[in-house]
């Protein structure tokens, strides 16, 4: 089934976000809402929504020019156009009658067999489609997107008894491949999986505040990253979502689950209601649990209901959790202590684990879907059953029994079968596979691979790395493709990383493999070169060591480019500085759609010297094929501006416009599919008779004239107060290296010459105190210093 054009009905928060994301995926989409009362443009609601989406932060569009794929309409004048749409998504107000009213209105206009879905967060599919005709019911499903649709990975799908298999699989495949979503299938139960459990947890965390009397900042300190949850933890999340919205969501679930044994936890405590009544709604109202005053962030004291300064949080259990290295050990330390923090965390986690275990098979038949839904929809690092494993199923059950709490049947069955965890592995060596407890069979069964996805965790489980050092390893992806995976802290690039890349290339050549992928599956590909090492060497005036580091980098990028084998880089998240220069050197790049890539070295007082300056000079020169009467200086100027301003792309699509990605580089909408897409690319390149590029011996550079021109641009920036004096100096040095130094641009230069030039400028800058200040500041604060 082809999905070539879509329509979204309801241009509110979700409808507009979904339509925008369809445009991100290149799908033309009609966005309809009601006709507003009074005079004026009849499709104003939808067109205003598109206008707001163009200004939203974080941006809803990956490339704003894709907004041309959206057309605004209204539900009275434009229904006929629905006949051209392959998929109609309803995202109107959460009200059964309103939604059914829409279905009745669109039924005569939609094409038989076209897909129709609702974005409802809780209304049962059975109720939505009751009494509608056969074709409508067989074409209908729930597609529950999370807010904001561009950024949230989870998409919950729910089918009814009549939903056609063809329609369901078509949406699933389209959502995974084109929209880049992680799909979880749910049963038709109130609020599906992620919100049922996630919202319980939101409610419980407020109820337990009342019971334990811990302060807002204390609870946030013990329910964030230390237990594998996002930094927004508990109350910062409420402030972000909006307390009125959170209250409504909790109430919705409460009303829908009269039989639920934990139902009272969905009822927010008195302080929550009081905050909503007083308009303390969170960020959107200027304050909720926290309030920003000037530069200070104040916190609400729940006793006095006044804002006050936040206090340092320390508990013995929290302190030992902070010291533990791995997440399970952190959680064990925090939940297993004797203080108030421990009591709170144990209450919260044990309730989450028990509640989830009691919900299977009510909300879905398998436990993997529950864990994925919470990981993908709430950004938890561990889903509820992974939490059971982290705390130990046996130990947890014993503790619960001691407290007189009932052990869910699912857990009893697992333990009775002699198993100690919900997840395990089976088989040996290359045949080893991850397994999961299957409630129906009461056995651990093999976890099926997701189509299009290779997980490096699985690769590492099945085979030892071919080579490895503390910063990176060479893994075998099968079919003759090897992978260099970084695994240093934040994937910073050091000499060891570079060494492993070279070894990866050697391994492919020696073993007669097809080619190499350079990639990892961390949230960020790499935050850049290890500037701590660099700054230390600069302070010691160990110029030799720095010279060696840069030459190492050069040797590596040249080897990647000119080896006899195809090398494809896979990037996702941040790919900065040196972390951008590595993919720039690859024969091709496969970028996840959410890639934030850039040469940001000027921010730390340096220039790109891992081959990045030379690469951009060459790319500008090569942008115009020989013989065309067009000057390539425009390209050089654009690259210069990007790098002088330390610009990072807001998406892979934007990286193309900035020139960090080329037209030949691929984009995978789904981050989890990027690695297999890259592997496929390597195999295709090898199969088509890969030949390495010819050495760049005659690069036409801009020379003295180019430097002069770029300097004029810089003095305009400085004159306008856009850049500091030191920025101007740095950008001037960068212009010098990018243009090939003080030479006549008529004479081409070699790539090696350009590399020497970037090295020379780089070494010079490390001798500048202001550069050292920039590096030190960034290392301390994570932010650039504009001195
Ligand atoms: P919203 O209030 O922001 O938008 C609803 C839109 O529907 C409004 O623009 C309204 O004018 C329009 N509308 C109402 N009646 C209509 C009709 N008869 N014809 C055409 N348009 C009509 O709501 P929302 O937050 O975008 O939620 C939409 C749906 O998505 C709901 O079912 C909600 O439960 C679900 N949902 C919301 C979220 C979220 O975080 N907001 C997340 C997942 C799912």
């Amino acid at each position: 089934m082809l999905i070539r054009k879509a329509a979204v009905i309801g241009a509110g928060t979700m409808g507009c976000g979904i339509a925008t994301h369809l445009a991100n995926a290149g799908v033309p989409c009609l966005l309809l809402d009601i006709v507003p009362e009074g005079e004026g443009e009849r499709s104003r609601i939808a067109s205003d929504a598109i206008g707001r989406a163009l200004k939203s932060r974080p941006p809803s569009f990956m490339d704003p020019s894709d907004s041309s794929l959206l057309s605004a309409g209204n539900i009275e004048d434009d229904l006929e156009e629905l006949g051209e749409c392959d998929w109609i998504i309803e995202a109107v107000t959460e009200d059964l009658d309103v939604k059914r009213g829409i279905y009745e209105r669109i039924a005569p206009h939609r094409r038989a067999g076209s897909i129709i879905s609702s974005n409802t967060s809780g209304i049962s599919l059975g109720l939505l489609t009751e009494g509608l005709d056969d074709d409508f019911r067989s074409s209908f499903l729930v597609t529950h997107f999370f807010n904001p649709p561009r950024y949230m990975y989870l998409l919950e799908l729910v089918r009814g008894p009549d939903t056609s298999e063809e329609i369901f699989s078509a949406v699933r495949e389209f959502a995974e491949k084109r929209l880049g979503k992680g799909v979880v299938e749910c049963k038709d139960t109130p609020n599906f999986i992620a919100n049922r459990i996630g919202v319980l947890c939101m409610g419980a965390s407020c109820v337990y505040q009342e019971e334990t009397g811990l302060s807002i900042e204390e609870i946030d300190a013990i329910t964030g990253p230390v237990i594998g949850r996002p930094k927004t933890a508990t109350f910062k999340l409420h402030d972000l979502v909006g307390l009125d919205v959170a209250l409504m969501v909790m109430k919705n679930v409460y009303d829908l689950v009269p039989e639920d044994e934990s139902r009272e936890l969905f009822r927010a405590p008195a302080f929550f209601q009081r905050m909503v009544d007083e308009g303390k709604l969170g960020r959107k109202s200027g304050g909720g649990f926290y309030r920003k005053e000037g530069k200070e962030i104040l916190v609400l004291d729940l006793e006095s209901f006044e804002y006050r300064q936040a206090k340092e949080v320390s508990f013995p259990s929290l302190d030992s959790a902070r010291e533990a290295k791995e997440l399970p050990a952190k959680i064990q330390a925090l939940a297993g202590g004797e203080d108030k923090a421990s009591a709170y965390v144990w209450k919260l986690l044990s309730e989450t684990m028990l509640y989830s275990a009691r919900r299977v098979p009510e909300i879905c038949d398998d436990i993997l879907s529950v864990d994925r839904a919470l990981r993908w929809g709430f950004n938890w690092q561990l889903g509820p059953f992974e939490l059971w494993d982290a705390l130990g199923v046996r130990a947890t059950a014993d503790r619960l029994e001691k407290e007189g709490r009932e052990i869910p049947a699912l857990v009893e069955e697992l333990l009775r079968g002699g198993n100690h965890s919900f997840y395990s592995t089976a088989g040996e060596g290359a045949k080893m596979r991850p397994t999961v407890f299957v409630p129906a069979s009461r056995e651990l069964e093999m976890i099926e691979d997701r189509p299009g996805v290779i997980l490096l965790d699985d690769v590492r489980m099945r085979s030892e790395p071919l080579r490895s050092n503390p910063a990176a390893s060479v893994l075998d992806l099968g079919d003759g493709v090897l992978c260099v995976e970084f695994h240093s802290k934040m994937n910073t690039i050091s000499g060891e990383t570079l060494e492993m890349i070279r070894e990866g290339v050697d391994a492919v050549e020696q073993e007669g493999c097809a080619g190499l992928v350079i990639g990892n599956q961390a949230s960020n590909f790499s935050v850049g070169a290890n500037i701590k090492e660099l700054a230390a060497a600069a302070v010691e005036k160990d110029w030799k060591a720095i010279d060696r580091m840069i030459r190492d980098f050069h040797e590596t990028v040249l080897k990647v480019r000119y080896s006899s084998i195809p090398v494809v880089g896979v990037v996702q998240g941040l790919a900065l500085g040196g972390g951008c220069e590595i993919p720039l050197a690859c024969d091709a790049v496969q970028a996840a759609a959410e890639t934030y890539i850039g040469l940001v070295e000027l921010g730390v007082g340096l220039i790109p010297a891992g081959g990045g300056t030379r690469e951009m000079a060459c790319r500008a020169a090569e942008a115009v094929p020989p013989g065309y009467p067009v000057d390539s200086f425009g390209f050089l100027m654009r690259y210069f501006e990007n790098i002088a301003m330390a610009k990072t792309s807001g998406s892979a699509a934007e990286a193309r416009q900035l020139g960090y990605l080329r037209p030949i580089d691929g984009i995978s909408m789904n981050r989890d599919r990027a690695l297999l897409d890259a592997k496929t690319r390597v195999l295709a390149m090898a199969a088509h008779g890969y030949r390495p590029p010819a050495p760049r011996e005659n690069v036409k550079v801009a020379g003295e004239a180019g430097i002069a021109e770029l300097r004029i641009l810089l003095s305009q920036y400085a004159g306008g107060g856009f850049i500091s004096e030191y920025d101007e100096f740095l950008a001037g040095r960068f212009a010098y290296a990018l243009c090939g130094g003080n030479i006549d641009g008529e004479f081409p230069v070699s790539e090696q010459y350009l590399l020497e030039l970037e090295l020379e400028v780089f070494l010079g800058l490390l001798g500048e105190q202001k550069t050292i200040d920039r590096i030190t500041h960034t290392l301390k604060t994570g932010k650039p210093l504009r001195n």
Side-chain angles (χ1 to χ4, degrees):
M1 264 187 99
L2 290 177
I3 298 179
R4 293 155 299 191
K5 180 171 177 177
V8 176
I9 303 176
T13 311
M14 292 307 290
C16 184
I18 295 167
T20 307
H21 195 58
L22 284 160
N24 287 334
V27 184
C29 181
L30 178 66
L31 181 62
L32 305 182
D33 207 289
I34 50 174
V35 176
E37 283 177 18
E39 300 285 296
E41 210 242 301
R42 288 169 63 79
S43 303
R44 198 165 66 226
I45 299 187
S47 53
D48 287 354
I50 299 171
R52 279 195 303 277
L54 276 165
K55 292 193 200 117
S56 67
R57 285 286 169 273
S60 312
F61 284 105
M62 292 175 174
D63 174 354
S65 71
D66 283 335
S67 62
S68 64
L69 290 168
L70 298 185
S71 48
N74 68 70
I75 194 87
E76 287 175 27
D77 307 333
D78 301 297
L79 285 176
E80 226 152 88
E81 223 184 297
L82 293 179
E84 296 164 17
C85 299
D86 302 305
W87 183 10
I88 303 168
I89 303 174
E90 169 274 302
V92 301
T93 319
E94 184 78 344
D95 180 306
L96 178 62
D97 292 335
V98 176
K99 289 186 189 287
R100 287 190 52 101
I102 290 285
Y103 304 154
E104 272 159 33
R105 280 179 85 164
I106 63 179
H109 301 280
R110 63 176 275 270
R111 215 183 45 242
S114 60
I115 304 163
I116 168 136
S117 72
S118 172
N119 191 52
T120 179
S121 0
I123 305 177
S124 126
L125 181 148
L127 284 177
L128 289 172
T129 53
E130 202 174 70
L132 292 166
D133 72 32
D134 288 354
D135 182 72
F136 198 99
R137 278 184 289 111
S138 69
S139 310
F140 189 91
L141 70 160
V142 168
T143 49
H144 185 222
F145 286 86
F146 283 68
N147 190 25
R150 167 178 167 187
Y151 295 96
M152 294 305 294
Y153 191 58
L154 178 63
L155 174 67
E156 290 181 325
L157 294 186
V158 184
R159 58 173 124 196
D162 303 319
T163 310
S164 100
E165 180 59 49
E166 193 195 352
I167 292 237
F168 190 84
S169 0
V171 172
R172 178 179 202 125
E173 192 183 330
F174 186 83
E176 287 175 340
K177 265 196 209 157
R178 286 287 294 280
L179 301 179
K181 295 293 152 207
V183 170
V184 166
E185 185 175 352
C186 312
K187 289 194 186 174
D188 187 12
T189 60
N191 291 77
F192 316 123
I193 302 177
N195 279 345
R196 181 77 172 270
I197 294 170
V199 175
L200 174 102
C201 210
M202 284 165 79
S205 53
C206 296
V207 173
Y208 298 153
Q209 186 290 323
E210 277 208 316
E211 290 178 15
T212 57
L214 288 177
S215 70
I216 300 301
E217 70 266 42
E218 283 172 338
I219 291 177
D220 276 352
I222 58 178
T223 55
V226 72
I227 60 163
R229 306 253 169 108
K231 279 196 203 123
T232 44
T234 298
F235 295 110
K236 286 191 200 117
L237 179 65
H238 283 305
D239 275 0
L240 186 71
V241 173
L243 271 75
D244 52 339
V245 175
L247 194 67
M248 192 184 67
V249 172
M250 287 191 256
K251 186 181 172 321
N252 277 349
V253 191
Y254 183 85
D255 291 344
L256 289 169
V257 295
E259 306 292 323
D260 205 305
E261 69 294 328
S262 298
R263 188 184 187 203
E264 289 311 309
L265 292 173
F266 289 108
R267 204 204 276 277
F271 73 81
F272 209 96
Q273 182 67 54
R274 178 173 165 196
M275 288 177 69
V276 173
D277 295 342
E278 291 182 10
K280 294 186 171 69
L281 303 182
R283 286 196 198 175
K284 63 181 169 191
S285 74
F289 289 104
Y290 295 88
R291 195 171 77 194
K292 209 169 167 203
E293 260 178 33
K295 283 199 166 162
E296 223 176 356
I297 305 218
L298 301 180
V299 61
L300 186 72
D301 189 304
L302 288 178
E303 277 177 22
S304 62
F305 242 64
E306 301 282 335
Y307 289 96
R308 59 160 173 78
Q309 282 187 328
K311 296 180 193 145
E312 277 289 308
V313 179
S314 170
F315 291 100
S317 62
L318 177 63
D319 297 341
S320 50
R322 281 175 176 151
E323 267 163 37
K325 283 231 152 55
E326 305 290 330
L327 185 56
K330 284 178 189 288
I331 300 175
Q332 283 165 16
L334 193 53
E338 311 252 301
D339 48 41
K340 263 164 92 176
S342 253
Y344 181 95
V345 166
W346 167 248
K347 258 173 183 284
L348 183 68
L349 296 187
S350 59
E351 179 57 31
T352 311
M353 294 187 292
L354 286 171
Y355 187 70
S356 308
R358 289 193 300 258
R359 296 279 78 74
V360 177
E362 178 192 334
I363 58 175
C364 60
D365 289 323
D366 64 315
I367 67 166
L368 191 56
S369 294
V370 176
D371 284 339
R372 282 181 178 159
L374 273 302
R375 270 196 272 119
W376 296 347
F378 277 75
N379 291 328
W380 293 3
Q381 278 183 50
L382 299 178
F385 294 100
E386 289 157 340
L387 262 178
W388 275 102
D389 282 3
L391 284 170
V393 182
R394 178 82 269 168
T396 303
D398 289 348
R399 186 168 174 185
L400 290 165
E401 258 168 7
K402 259 193 219 135
E403 293 176 1
R405 295 160 81 183
E406 202 174 318
I407 307 299
L410 185 73
V411 177
E412 284 203 326
E413 276 163 12
L414 176 91
L415 293 171
R416 208 178 301 130
N419 297 303
H420 301 287
S421 55
F422 283 100
Y423 294 90
S424 184
T425 54
E428 295 284 321
K431 294 228 164 76
M432 200 187 249
R433 293 286 182 278
T435 56
V436 60
F437 182 68
V438 176
S441 67
R442 297 178 189 164
E443 285 187 14
L444 287 161
E445 292 182 20
M446 219 88 89
I447 298 179
E448 274 177 42
D449 289 337
R450 287 160 63 204
V453 177
I454 329 176
L455 293 180
L456 289 176
D457 283 344
D458 291 350
V459 174
R460 267 183 261 108
M461 181 181 73
R462 282 168 209 177
S463 53
E464 289 290 314
L466 301 176
R467 328 246 162 128
S468 189
N469 67 28
S473 303
V474 179
L475 305 174
D476 185 352
L477 298 184
D479 305 313
V481 180
L482 304 187
C483 172
V484 174
E485 182 194 24
F486 304 166
H487 42 63
S488 55
K489 191 171 173 210
M490 296 199 284
N491 287 335
T492 51
I493 294 168
S494 63
E496 283 178 325
T497 323
L498 298 169
E499 184 190 341
M500 204 42 61
I501 294 176
R502 297 193 300 270
E503 288 205 21
V505 174
D506 288 342
V508 171
E509 290 184 335
Q510 282 159 15
E511 320 231 340
C513 292
L516 183 70
V517 167
I518 301 177
N520 58 67
Q521 289 177 323
S523 38
N524 295 316
F525 171 73
S526 166
V527 295
N530 188 334
I531 50 173
K532 201 170 170 183
E533 262 178 34
L534 264 176
V539 169
E540 295 290 314
K541 304 219 178 311
D542 190 352
W543 306 119
K544 256 199 185 148
I546 299 170
D547 185 274
R548 207 166 43 237
M549 272 184 226
I550 298 298
R551 287 186 191 280
D552 237 21
F553 219 126
H554 290 169
E555 189 195 332
T556 309
V557 292
L558 291 176
K559 184 157 190 157
V560 165
R561 185 174 165 85
Y562 295 113
S563 65
S564 64
I565 53 140
V567 182
V568 175
V570 186
V571 288
Q572 72 288 332
L574 295 173
L576 303 179
C580 172
E581 290 172 305
I582 300 288
L584 285 181
C586 294
D587 295 302
V589 176
Q590 189 68 27
E594 298 297 345
T595 292
Y596 317 119
I597 186 169
L599 292 171
V600 296
E601 284 84 348
L602 272 83
V604 288
L606 296 168
I607 68 157
T613 301
R614 150 280 350 191
E615 182 62 27
M616 295 324 278
C618 294
R619 282 190 186 188
E622 290 156 3
V624 179
Y628 282 71
V630 181
D631 190 357
S632 63
F633 190 70
F635 288 92
L636 193 78
M637 192 134 102
R638 184 69 208 272
Y639 299 156
F640 172 76
E641 275 183 310
N642 296 340
I643 299 167
M645 302 303 234
K647 247 189 219 166
T648 303
S649 73
S651 64
E654 198 195 351
R656 269 198 183 140
Q657 291 160 9
L658 296 177
Y660 294 131
L661 293 181
R662 299 155 292 184
I664 59 149
D665 294 326
I667 297 180
S668 298
M669 282 296 276
N670 192 326
R671 61 173 194 219
D672 285 355
R673 297 174 71 104
L675 189 67
L676 184 54
D677 290 344
K679 177 183 164 182
T680 310
R681 184 86 186 254
V682 166
L683 288 171
M685 287 163 90
H688 299 158
Y690 172 77
R691 58 160 276 194
R696 289 153 156 168
E697 294 296 351
N698 293 301
V699 184
K700 193 167 170 343
V701 290
E704 272 178 332
I707 300 173
E709 209 160 320
L710 295 180
R711 278 191 190 282
I712 295 174
L713 194 73
L714 283 176
S715 62
Q716 282 167 356
Y717 286 159
F722 298 112
I723 55 173
S724 70
E725 201 181 309
Y726 195 58
D727 284 330
E728 189 182 356
F729 167 75
L730 284 171
R733 298 305 295 148
F734 173 56
Y736 172 84
L738 187 70
C739 293
N742 290 324
I743 57 166
D744 181 343
E746 284 309 305
F747 301 101
V749 300
S750 74
E751 167 163 60
Q752 194 55 46
Y753 166 86
L754 288 169
L755 289 172
E756 291 296 331
L757 211 55
E758 65 179 45
L759 169 62
E760 173 198 317
V761 171
F762 187 85
L763 285 172
L765 292 176
L766 271 173
E768 298 281 340
Q769 186 54 42
K770 284 197 170 174
T771 285
I772 301 297
D773 293 345
R774 282 193 177 200
I775 297 179
T776 319
H777 181 86
T778 299
L779 285 171
K780 221 185 264 165
T781 64
K783 298 196 176 96
L785 170 73
R786 281 278 136 94
N787 53 356

